[in-house]
Amino acid sequence: MITNELYGLLQCPTCHSRALYVLDDGVHCASCATVYPLREGYLDLMPRGTHYDYVSKYVTDETELAEELDYRELAPPLLAAGVRDRALRRLLRFRPTDVVLDNGCGTAKHAVWNADQVHLMVGSDPATLFADRAVAEIALAQADSRSLPFAEGTFDKAFAIDILEHFPLEVIDAYLAETARVLRPGGRMLAFSNTREMSPIQPIINLSRRLGRLFVRAGLYDFSREARRKSDHIKALETWDDVVASFERAGLRPVKVVFWNSLFTTFVEHVVMKLGEAVLGRTAKKPPQPPSQAAKDPSADPYLASLATQTTPEGTAREIRARQRVRSHLQPGSSVYRALMAITLVMELDLWLFGWMRCGSYFIVVEKPR
């Protein structure tokens, strides 16, 4: 959703001028003559003529990932995403007057879930895998976080959920420096990411992982979709000290941290939810049919043709089917919604009981000095 308020925040990401004007075909820079097109529901504000050594797989493989990510329809904030979102609200303390940036928003689900808490929510990402609700409800920009298309000091708050672990160190530094630049003095940012450090209770957590591996070997489910999603995790910030140092290099002062020692979460994600997906994601067996032209020519039968051309791994397809089936029953107040919310609250116990215990996964709130 492109709004007049979004235009007021912009600067040229190519030459950094604020001499911009809007015509029917897009945003024009009077200084460098670059035109940034209006797309369907978002602005194309990628810097022109800039080469970056690092490009996210979500940009390079966007078309390939689109189906696998099942991104267009949003579920309510439940399970691990719900824990992240509840922590985001609690720690960043949105206000009705806030102008907020979701920097590296992905589908922009967290932006959608929190838009009603603030004055203006802006989502920014170099890939355009935006959910349909985000396109309709959120001010969206296709942009690179190393050259944000926003003027200095335009945002009261910003957040980055599952972002930093994807970047090499030089990209992290550029990302945080740009985020700091667009925050107003006294503005705050929340980041959720993870390092390579193990939890002090890792041996107990690993019991759930071992049980999950037993079910994988039994053929009940797999983690192919999760493995692909995490395949580009670099974790250049290997320790908590690295994390603090990176924010300090950007001029951002840590004010709050909560660690996520995932005792309950790992059991839910590796056992409970995967078993549920294995059941809900099953396909109905096609009844035997007499030989026909379809048996000789798969293209004559849509069912056989779909199998012949299927490129999504079966484990991934099963998980997507399960999620789609559950989404149809997630109206607030429904029994499925209440059950998943109860599981979400159990997972959140990891933050309340063990949030003081240093480990790899963390929420950090930082502030730009006044």
Side-chain angles (χ1 to χ4, degrees):
M1 180 179 69
I2 302 171
T3 67
N4 288 334
E5 283 187 285
L6 177 61
Y7 292 132
L9 306 178
L10 300 180
Q11 72 173 31
C12 176
T14 303
C15 73
H16 312 301
S17 170
R18 294 213 69 186
L20 304 176
Y21 58 95
V22 182
L23 298 178
D24 290 342
D25 61 338
V27 176
H28 293 243
C29 178
S31 298
C32 67
T34 303
V35 179
Y36 300 99
L38 305 173
R39 306 298 187 189
E40 188 174 350
Y42 66 91
L43 278 171
D44 176 357
L45 291 165
M46 293 291 286
R48 304 309 197 247
T50 302
H51 171 75
Y52 293 116
D53 291 333
Y54 171 85
V55 180
S56 165
K57 77 170 183 180
Y58 292 95
V59 176
T60 59
D61 302 345
E62 183 171 336
T63 302
E64 179 184 350
L65 288 169
E67 180 179 353
E68 183 176 322
L69 291 173
D70 186 30
Y71 69 95
R72 296 192 60 180
E73 185 179 355
L74 290 184
L78 296 166
L79 304 176
V83 175
R84 288 172 173 83
D85 202 66
R86 289 166 63 85
L88 170 65
R89 288 196 185 199
R90 186 166 60 250
L91 295 172
L92 209 48
R93 297 181 182 179
F94 293 127
R95 297 177 301 182
T97 57
D98 282 340
V99 178
V100 180
L101 174 64
D102 183 354
N103 190 6
C105 63
T107 63
K109 61 187 178 186
H110 291 285
V112 170
W113 292 334
N114 292 284
D116 62 348
Q117 303 293 307
V118 302
H119 175 68
L120 178 65
M121 180 70 73
V122 178
S124 170
D125 202 286
T128 58
L129 299 170
F130 304 129
D132 290 346
R133 275 190 63 191
V135 171
E137 300 174 15
I138 303 299
L140 293 172
Q142 182 186 12
D144 194 289
S145 296
R146 290 162 287 192
S147 185
L148 287 172
F150 307 112
E152 183 174 341
T154 49
F155 292 97
D156 300 292
K157 294 183 173 76
F159 59 90
I161 306 293
D162 293 312
I163 300 296
L164 300 182
E165 65 270 22
H166 295 271
F167 295 158
L169 186 59
E170 63 272 16
V171 177
I172 292 173
D173 284 346
Y175 175 99
L176 293 178
E178 274 292 272
T179 306
R181 180 184 64 80
V182 302
L183 279 174
R184 65 167 177 78
R188 291 193 170 189
M189 173 192 181
L190 176 140
F192 171 76
S193 187
N194 50 81
T195 68
R196 297 181 182 275
E197 292 184 320
M198 294 293 102
S199 168
I201 57 173
Q202 195 66 43
I204 303 174
I205 293 172
N206 286 342
L207 294 175
S208 296
R209 297 181 185 274
R210 293 194 187 101
L211 183 57
R213 284 196 290 269
L214 289 176
F215 287 125
V216 169
R217 286 197 289 270
L220 294 178
Y221 54 76
D222 62 47
F223 289 93
S224 58
R225 186 168 184 252
E226 182 73 4
R228 179 162 174 78
R229 187 180 69 82
K230 295 182 177 180
S231 63
D232 69 337
H233 283 198
I234 298 172
K235 297 188 180 181
L237 303 178
E238 297 188 5
T239 69
W240 175 245
D241 293 336
D242 294 338
V243 174
V244 174
S246 69
F247 282 99
E248 290 179 344
R249 284 195 299 273
L252 296 168
R253 179 178 62 88
V255 295
K256 178 74 174 178
V257 60
V258 176
F259 294 102
W260 194 349
N261 291 267
S262 56
L263 177 62
F264 298 108
T265 298
T266 300
F267 180 73
V268 169
E269 292 189 331
H270 282 249
V271 180
V272 177
M273 299 313 300
K274 298 302 290 186
L275 286 174
E277 288 168 0
V279 174
L280 293 172
R282 290 179 300 183
T283 55
K285 292 184 178 180
K286 189 175 177 67
Q289 295 183 354
S292 64
Q293 180 62 27
K296 301 175 184 178
D297 178 11
S299 65
D301 186 319
Y303 175 80
L304 295 177
S306 67
L307 292 181
T309 60
Q310 183 175 343
T311 58
T312 304
E314 173 53 29
T316 298
R318 182 172 58 236
E319 184 177 339
I320 291 173
R321 286 194 299 269
R323 289 170 183 260
Q324 289 173 341
R325 289 168 181 170
V326 169
R327 275 203 300 260
S328 64
H329 300 283
L330 284 182
Q331 299 82 4
S334 70
S335 58
V336 175
Y337 179 91
R338 289 197 298 268
L340 291 179
M341 177 55 73
I343 295 173
T344 302
L345 296 177
V346 170
M347 296 168 75
E348 193 174 357
L349 286 175
D350 287 329
L351 304 185
W352 293 108
L353 296 178
F354 313 118
W356 54 273
M357 192 182 298
R358 176 167 161 172
C359 69
S361 296
Y362 61 86
F363 297 88
I364 184 172
V365 178
V366 293
E367 184 176 84
K368 181 175 180 179
R370 297 179 184 274

